[in-house]
């Protein structure tokens, strides 16, 4: 069989058959070309969308939920409707100790402040945070470090700033580490700078100072703005959210059915929905692409049936000269696989060029919609295997039609 594939006469016959009806052959190839182009283009775009979301959420523990206090919607135990509910460090500790499945729990505070350095100034979001935040929302540090436990214990006046804050408060190429900035007329030493682009859930986080320092300068006492809760991998984050809010209602004397007293945003649940959407999109892409391929391959089969009809006399002569049925079938199948594979390779090249164009126009910059839209070599390899299999199967129909012709009848064909 393999010797036959390298035989010059075999390929000469394939090219002769192809060149006799060039327009028909090209039009036949369009279906397969379009199918593989669609498959590569859509899969690459889906991968680009997935990369975009991964870049957005890559620094964040996605199995997380954010909980904060609001106002009550029901009277309970002597308290009137509309009472403002505030979270505290005691609440945070009780939730961490009593709710099953929590991996990290980070109390957080936030406020706006005027920040000044020399003659430069700006208004920024100031967050009071614990070192544990860097485990939940990994900061991509450009210089320096994040807050540590010594900063918390000693109530140090240190700050980690964003790249945006640096651009407003420092000269270009100036090293910020070790420099001082004024936050609400209090000097803070810059100990770190992080990239923009880290996803931020909640108010804008331009600057991070130790939680204990935030408590002092803003006179927060035991109050907490919101809780960032990350669940362990094997636990349902929705269940953790429900358990945490139920416990908070009990501790703060809120009606058990009051759904307004505590607000929340479940990132884990949203991320699961997003993952399901991407999976469904990839499945739909494969379905549409393969369906289009099959339609194109059937068109090739129909054209080969016409070709067999046109070559009836030729096939009869070959049969009369002793050509075995297997040799006739083999030749027809090779022609089918050749046309299918050639169409597919052209489709893969075209799809790759389209992905390069997409990446050039919409895949650059921090706000890119599709990041590195591409397909893996395994996808290309699987696509080629599918083409070979479909080409071989569809080639069987005209092949059996060809060998069903009796030599004597074929020679009488006009």
């Amino acid at each position: 069989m393999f010797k036959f594939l390298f035989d010059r006469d075999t390929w000469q016959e394939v090219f002769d058959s192809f060149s006799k009806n060039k327009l028909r052959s090209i039009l036949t190839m369009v279906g397969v070309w379009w199918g593989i182009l669609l498959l590569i283009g859509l899969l690459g775009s889906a991968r680009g969308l997935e990369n975009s979301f991964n870049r957005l959420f890559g620094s964040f523990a996605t199995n997380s939920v954010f909980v904060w206090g609001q106002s009550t919607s029901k009277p309970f135990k002597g308290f009137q409707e509309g009472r403002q509910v505030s979270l505290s460090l005691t609440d945070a500790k009780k939730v961490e100790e009593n709710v099953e499945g929590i991996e990290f729990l980070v109390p957080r505070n936030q406020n706006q402040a005027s920040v000044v350095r020399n003659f430069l100034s700006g208004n920024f979001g100031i967050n009071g945070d614990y070192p544990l935040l860097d485990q939940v929302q990994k900061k991509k540090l450009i210089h320096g470090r994040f807050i540590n436990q010594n900063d918390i214990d000693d109530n140090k006046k240190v700050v980690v700033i964003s790249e945006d804050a640096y651009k407003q408060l420092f000269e270009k190429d100036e090293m910020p580490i070790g420099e001082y900035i004024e936050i609400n007329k209090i000097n803070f030493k810059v100990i770190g700078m992080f990239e923009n682009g880290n996803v931020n859930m909640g108010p804008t986080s331009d600057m991070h100072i130790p939680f204990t320092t935030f408590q002092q300068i803003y006179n927060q006492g035991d109050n907490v703005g919101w809780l960032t809760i990350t669940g362990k991998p094997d636990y349902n984050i929705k269940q953790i959210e429900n358990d945490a809010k139920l416990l908070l209602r009990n501790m703060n004397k809120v009606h058990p059915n009051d759904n307004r007293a505590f607000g929340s945003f479940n990132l884990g649940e949203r991320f699961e929905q997003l993952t399901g959407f991407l999976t469904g999109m990839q499945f739909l892409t494969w379905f549409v692409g393969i369906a289009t391929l099959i339609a194109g391959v059937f068109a090739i089969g129909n054209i080969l049936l016409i070709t067999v009809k046109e070559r009836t006399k030729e096939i009869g002569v070959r049969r009369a000269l002793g050509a075995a049925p297997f040799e006739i079938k083999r030749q027809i199948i090779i022609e089918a696989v050749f046309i299918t594979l050639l169409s597919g390779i052209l489709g893969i090249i075209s799809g790759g060029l389209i992905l390069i164009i997409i990446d050039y126009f919409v895949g650059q910059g921090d706000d890119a919609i599709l990041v590195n839209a591409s397909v893996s070599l395994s996808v290309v390899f699987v696509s080629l295997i599918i083409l070979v299999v479909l080409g071989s199967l569809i080639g069987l129909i005209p092949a059996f039609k060809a060998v069903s012709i009796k030599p004597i009848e074929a020679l009488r064909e006009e």
Side-chain angles (χ1 to χ4, degrees):
M1 177 66 180
F2 290 105
K3 182 179 178 181
F4 179 77
L5 287 175
F6 293 102
D7 186 60
R8 181 179 178 181
D9 292 338
T10 299
W11 292 105
Q12 184 64 49
E13 189 170 343
V14 170
F15 289 122
D16 286 344
S17 175
F18 185 84
S19 60
K20 282 179 182 178
N21 294 285
K22 292 180 182 178
L23 180 60
R24 186 172 67 189
S25 299
I26 291 172
L27 292 175
T28 302
M29 293 168 61
V30 167
V32 174
W33 168 80
W34 177 250
I36 203 74
L37 173 79
L38 198 65
L39 183 64
I40 296 297
L42 290 177
L43 280 177
S45 298
R47 173 63 66 85
L49 188 62
E50 183 179 357
N51 290 339
S52 177
F53 282 114
N54 285 339
R55 185 174 72 173
L56 181 64
F57 293 107
S59 62
F60 215 104
T62 53
N63 194 35
S64 299
V65 62
F66 310 92
V67 181
W68 59 89
Q70 299 183 150
S71 60
T72 60
S73 61
K74 296 176 183 292
F76 189 65
K77 290 188 177 180
F79 292 99
Q80 297 297 314
E81 176 187 346
R83 174 172 61 100
Q84 186 65 39
V85 180
S86 298
L87 295 174
S88 67
L89 286 174
T90 302
D91 292 333
K93 187 176 180 180
K94 289 288 186 182
V95 169
E96 187 173 17
E97 290 175 349
N98 293 283
V99 175
E100 188 178 3
I102 292 179
E103 184 171 14
F104 302 117
L105 187 147
V106 187
R108 303 190 67 188
N109 271 324
Q110 201 264 0
N111 211 327
Q112 292 293 120
S114 176
V115 182
V116 179
R117 181 178 179 272
N118 298 333
F119 298 104
L120 301 173
S121 64
N123 199 50
F124 300 100
I126 311 298
N127 287 71
D129 286 312
Y130 284 95
L132 192 57
L133 178 67
D134 200 38
Q135 298 291 319
V136 177
Q137 183 183 354
K138 188 68 178 176
K139 296 293 180 182
K140 297 178 182 177
L141 291 169
I142 301 172
H143 301 294
R145 64 173 177 84
F146 195 65
I147 296 163
N148 62 28
Q149 192 58 44
N150 286 334
D151 300 328
I152 298 291
D153 295 338
D154 298 337
N155 303 338
K156 288 185 179 180
K157 293 179 176 62
V158 293
V159 60
V160 182
I161 65 174
S162 69
E163 196 173 3
D164 279 343
Y166 166 80
K167 290 176 181 177
Q168 291 190 50
L169 299 173
F170 290 85
E171 300 293 338
K172 186 178 180 182
D173 298 328
E174 187 178 2
M175 174 56 70
I177 307 303
E179 298 293 324
Y180 286 85
I181 60 177
E182 284 188 15
I183 301 176
N184 286 346
K185 298 182 179 181
I186 300 173
N187 283 327
F188 279 77
K189 184 179 181 179
V190 178
I191 59 171
M193 183 176 81
F194 60 91
E195 287 184 11
N196 298 323
N198 289 306
V199 64
N200 181 60
M201 293 297 166
T204 302
S205 298
D206 293 306
M207 298 188 178
H208 301 270
I209 65 175
F211 189 91
T212 50
T213 307
F214 187 99
Q215 286 177 300
Q216 283 187 338
I217 66 173
Y218 287 104
N219 195 26
Q220 287 291 302
D222 199 33
N223 292 334
V224 171
W226 73 96
L227 303 177
T228 298
I229 304 171
T230 300
K232 294 178 181 177
D234 297 334
Y235 284 80
N236 187 324
I237 191 64
K238 183 63 179 176
Q239 186 61 50
I240 292 174
E241 175 190 359
N242 292 336
D243 291 346
K245 290 169 79 172
L246 179 61
L247 181 60
L248 289 171
R249 290 191 194 102
N250 291 335
M251 289 189 295
N252 289 274
K253 296 180 181 179
V254 174
H255 194 284
N257 297 324
D258 190 340
N259 295 320
R260 196 181 71 184
F262 294 98
S264 62
F265 177 80
N266 197 315
L267 177 61
E269 192 175 22
R270 299 294 182 273
F271 195 77
E272 283 184 5
Q273 292 172 354
L274 173 64
T275 303
F277 167 75
L278 291 174
T279 302
M281 185 176 175
Q282 289 179 338
F283 173 79
L284 182 63
T285 297
W286 276 105
F287 178 80
V288 171
I290 291 177
T292 307
L293 277 179
I294 291 173
V297 170
F298 268 109
I300 290 176
N302 289 331
I303 292 300
L304 286 175
L305 281 171
I306 296 172
T307 303
V308 167
K309 178 68 175 175
E310 292 173 347
R311 294 164 61 186
T312 299
K313 184 174 286 188
E314 174 195 331
I315 293 170
V317 171
R318 292 182 62 183
R319 292 288 306 278
L321 292 175
F326 174 73
E327 294 175 355
I328 302 295
K329 286 190 288 187
R330 183 173 57 185
Q331 183 65 40
I332 300 295
I333 291 172
I334 285 177
E335 290 181 19
V337 171
F338 170 76
I339 296 175
T340 306
L341 204 54
L342 178 61
S343 307
I345 291 172
L346 292 174
I348 289 170
I349 294 171
S350 303
L353 290 174
I354 287 175
L355 292 179
I356 291 172
I357 294 170
I358 289 174
D359 188 61
Y360 180 80
F361 284 104
V362 299
Q364 307 298 319
D366 295 334
D367 299 326
I369 300 171
L370 303 176
V371 177
N372 189 26
S374 59
V375 293
S376 63
L377 288 176
S378 60
V379 170
V380 175
F381 181 74
V382 168
S383 300
L384 291 174
I385 292 296
I386 291 172
L387 288 171
V388 171
V389 171
L390 289 177
S392 300
L393 291 175
I394 205 65
L396 289 173
I397 299 173
F400 279 104
K401 175 67 176 176
V403 297
S404 68
I405 302 172
K406 295 181 180 179
I408 190 66
E409 293 178 357
L411 290 173
R412 289 200 193 111
E413 184 76 22
E414 292 296 334

